Amino acid sequence: MDSINLKNYFFYFASFVVIIAGVKMSSQVVVILFLAIFISSIFSTLLKVLQKKHIPRLFSYFIILLIVVGIGVMLAYVINISLNDFLTNLPTYEEKLKNTVLDLLHLAQNAGIQIDKTKIMGALNFNSFFGFTTNIIGSIGTFLSKFLLVVIGVAFILAESKSFQTKLRVIFRNNAKKLEHFNLFSFNIQKYFVVKSFTSFLTGFIITIVLTIFGVDYPILWGVIAMLFNFVPVVGSIIASIPAILLTFMNLDINITIWVIILYVVINISISNILEPKLMGRELGLSPLVIFFSLIFWGYILGIVGMFLAVPITMTLKIAFDSNTSTHWLGILMSDLSRKKVKSLREQKAADSI
């Protein structure tokens, strides 16, 4: 019996490796497919709301497509215009950064600290300070150029959504429990994407206002970057804040720079650690360890876009596991559960067994 189980595990592992290899080889197509599915999950909720308002389905359908296209065009326009202007002024910013470092080294020497300016300036690669940011923004811009395919995918998925529900009822007509599990899975997925999209937009909007008040260059661009990188937990907010903080440091005084850093921290902590868990529910939280390895794994499989999709994909898997009693234990392993929550789960399991 044990040898049979061991063979099954090897079979599952080999199948997993083959599937992942296939996903990596077809990553460009898979990314478009995943994004179309995720965007459809968000806007299918809006489609239901419009239909409840007694707006004809066809008209609601076209309204949603116009919203999706409008958001894509707006993001592409903002990133393209701001990035071109930013790249034009990049040599000026690099020179300012170099002069700022020289001034700091000069102050340190006046304070009696022995510093070899030549070695430090030689070790610092000023081109790389903004190079990483421009590469990431460039990757996002390149992907947005393929957004038409995503929109077409969204259009077809939303068009099939009503008939898909009918198909599910036919498939599970003799098993109401499986249909209930799938409906729970769909509801939690939509809830996650709607909440995450809202909190990401709120993060970008507030940061844009803050940077505008302090007179930082390209506040809309950095707000859009903060919104997009809010989908990348932990490291996303740090990466998104670097270019804005550097520009503040070079063009304004140190007090304003400190305020911008503090506000970045407060905004991200307030939204990601306080507001988001309240709206989403702790049971939909992911373990930090799972988040970390999902970023590495999906970033390797799908590239830079995979880092944005890492948590949504992993969250989808977790919700799928949670929605089925036979795989619920896997969902618990992936969860960020407190001791109180674990205790309540044990009590619930004990009550169910009685």
Side-chain angles (χ1 to χ4, degrees), residues 140-206:
I140 296 171
T142 301
F143 172 74
L144 287 174
S145 65
K146 302 176 183 177
F147 195 71
L148 178 61
L149 293 174
V150 177
V151 173
I152 294 172
V154 170
F156 278 107
I157 293 173
L158 290 177
E160 288 279 331
S161 59
K162 189 174 182 179
S163 62
F164 185 70
Q165 290 293 327
T166 305
K167 292 174 184 177
L168 285 177
R169 284 193 291 270
V170 172
I171 293 171
F172 298 124
R173 63 182 181 275
N174 296 324
N175 196 330
K177 195 170 184 180
K178 284 189 177 180
L179 181 61
E180 183 183 346
H181 287 160
F182 189 87
N183 289 333
L184 177 64
F185 165 71
S186 301
F187 172 77
N188 286 332
I189 284 292
Q190 290 179 357
K191 179 182 177 182
Y192 170 76
F193 286 128
V194 169
V195 170
K196 193 66 180 178
S197 300
F198 169 72
T199 55
S200 297
F201 172 78
L202 187 62
T203 300
F205 180 73
I206 295 175

